[in-house]
């Protein structure tokens, strides 16, 4: 059985006369998508730029943990200034029936979005491992988890994302296999990390209650549990939001691939809105950082005050 190429897949599904016939029935919805993605692009750019400036000024966060957070903000920023503008150009090319522009933009969109989304998922996996190591290692955490180790991890993850994405150029089946392995690995590590974290925290809580009931002195735990719990829940909120934004896209892509459903206006519209829902994650993350991380919220407020004062 012949393996479909990237060019054939893009031209058949997104950049052909069939697409023109389909989109002619959803003209108003495409206008809504254009406006919505333009707004999300600006929001992701401004929000993540502000977060990066705030993180640069914030000194109370552990540097390796802050580096992981900055990496996630950078990927969201790149989504806002590269991926979403490409998506807007793609929608405009479909409306104007400029199929050559449509194809070239779609190839760039596919590569950029898959690389950045893959990096985001891997960074979130690294954050979950970082939180688990903070609990396991206690006082040794700062000696073991260093900036150098995190930089090396980020480089490896970036290379891995590029390799997985570009594998589609040679073989779509290879790409699907590598993508499945990558997703399975990340989900397994994330689920294991948080289950281990919550079981350990539960053990600490039960032990503390037993000590209180028996009127025993508290045992020293080499970790500020209250502060740690807040950090864990902050990271978990970011990861849950990513999964919520990605799940519609994953389900729709899986259903259309498995059932070989014929392209129609409703199918096309659902697929394009699922893309937008994925990009929504990059615009939401800055608000989550400000809401759930006190240090970031304070740094953002200080930065906004400085900008306001300089403008007035």
């Amino acid at each position: 059985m012949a393996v479909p190429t990237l060019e054939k897949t893009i031209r058949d599904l997104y950049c052909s006369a069939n697409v023109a016939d389909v989109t002619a029935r959803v003209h108003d919805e495409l206008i809504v998508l254009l406006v919505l993605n333009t707004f999300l692009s600006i929001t992701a750019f401004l929000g993540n730029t502000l977060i990066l400036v705030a993180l640069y000024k914030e000194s109370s966060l552990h540097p390796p943990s802050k580096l992981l957070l900055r990496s996630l903000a950078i990927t969201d920023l790149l989504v806002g200034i590269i991926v979403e503008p490409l998506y807007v150009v793609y929608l405009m090319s479909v409306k104007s029936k400029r199929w050559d522009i449509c194809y070239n933009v779609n190839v760039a969109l596919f590569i950029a979005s898959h690389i950045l989304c893959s990096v985001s998922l891997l960074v979130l996996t690294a954050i979950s491992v970082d939180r688990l190591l903070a609990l396991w290692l206690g006082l040794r955490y700062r000696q073991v988890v260093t900036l150098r180790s995190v930089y090396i991890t980020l480089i490896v993850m970036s290379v891995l994302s590029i390799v997985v994405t570009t594998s589609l150029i040679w073989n779509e089946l290879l790409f699907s296999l590598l993508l499945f392995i990558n997703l399975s690995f990340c989900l397994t590590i994330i689920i294991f990390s948080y289950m281990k974290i919550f079981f350990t925290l539960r053990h600490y809580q039960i032990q503390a209650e037993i000590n209180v009931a028996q009127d025993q002195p508290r045992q020293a735990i080499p970790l500020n549990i209250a502060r740690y719990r807040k950090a864990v829940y902050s990271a978990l909120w970011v990861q849950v939001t990513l999964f919520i934004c990605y799940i519609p896209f994953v389900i729709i892509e899986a259903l259309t691939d498995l059932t070989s459903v014929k392209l129609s206006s409703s199918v096309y519209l659902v697929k394009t809105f699922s893309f937008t829902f994925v990009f929504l994650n990059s615009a939401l993350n800055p608000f989550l950082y400000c809401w759930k991380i006190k240090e970031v919220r304070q740094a953002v407020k200080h930065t906004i005050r400085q900008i306001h004062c300089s403008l007035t």
Side-chain angles (χ1 to χ4, degrees), residues 55 62-76 119-135 141 145 150 153-154 157 185-186 189-194 197 228 230-240 242 285 289 293:
L55 288 174
H62 184 42
S65 299
K66 186 168 73 171
L67 176 58
L68 290 172
L69 198 58
R70 288 170 63 184
S71 301
L72 194 58
I74 289 172
T75 59
D76 289 333
V119 170
S120 295
L121 183 59
L122 288 168
V123 170
L124 286 174
T125 304
I127 289 175
S128 67
V129 174
D130 174 71
R131 294 298 82 208
L132 179 59
L133 290 176
L135 184 62
Y141 167 71
V145 181
V150 173
T153 302
L154 291 172
M157 290 190 301
F185 171 79
C186 290
I189 296 298
I190 289 173
I191 292 172
F192 169 80
S193 297
Y194 282 107
I197 286 170
Y228 175 81
K230 288 181 180 179
V232 168
Y233 280 115
S234 299
L236 191 57
W237 266 97
V238 174
Q239 294 180 344
V240 169
L242 180 137
N285 279 341
Y289 302 150
I293 306 176

Side-chain angles (χ1 to χ4, degrees), residues 74-85:
I74 289 172
T75 59
D76 289 333
L77 175 65
L78 293 176
V79 169
I81 64 177
I82 296 177
V83 176
E84 291 204 71

Side-chain angles (χ1 to χ4, degrees), residues 303-312:
T303 302
I304 292 175
R305 281 196 294 266
Q306 286 184 322
I307 294 174
H308 177 72
C309 292
S310 64
L311 290 176
T312 56

Side-chain angles (χ1 to χ4, degrees), residues 277-289:
F277 212 58
V278 169
F279 302 148
L280 172 65
N281 178 250
S282 298
L284 288 178
N285 279 341
F287 297 99
L288 288 176
Y289 302 150

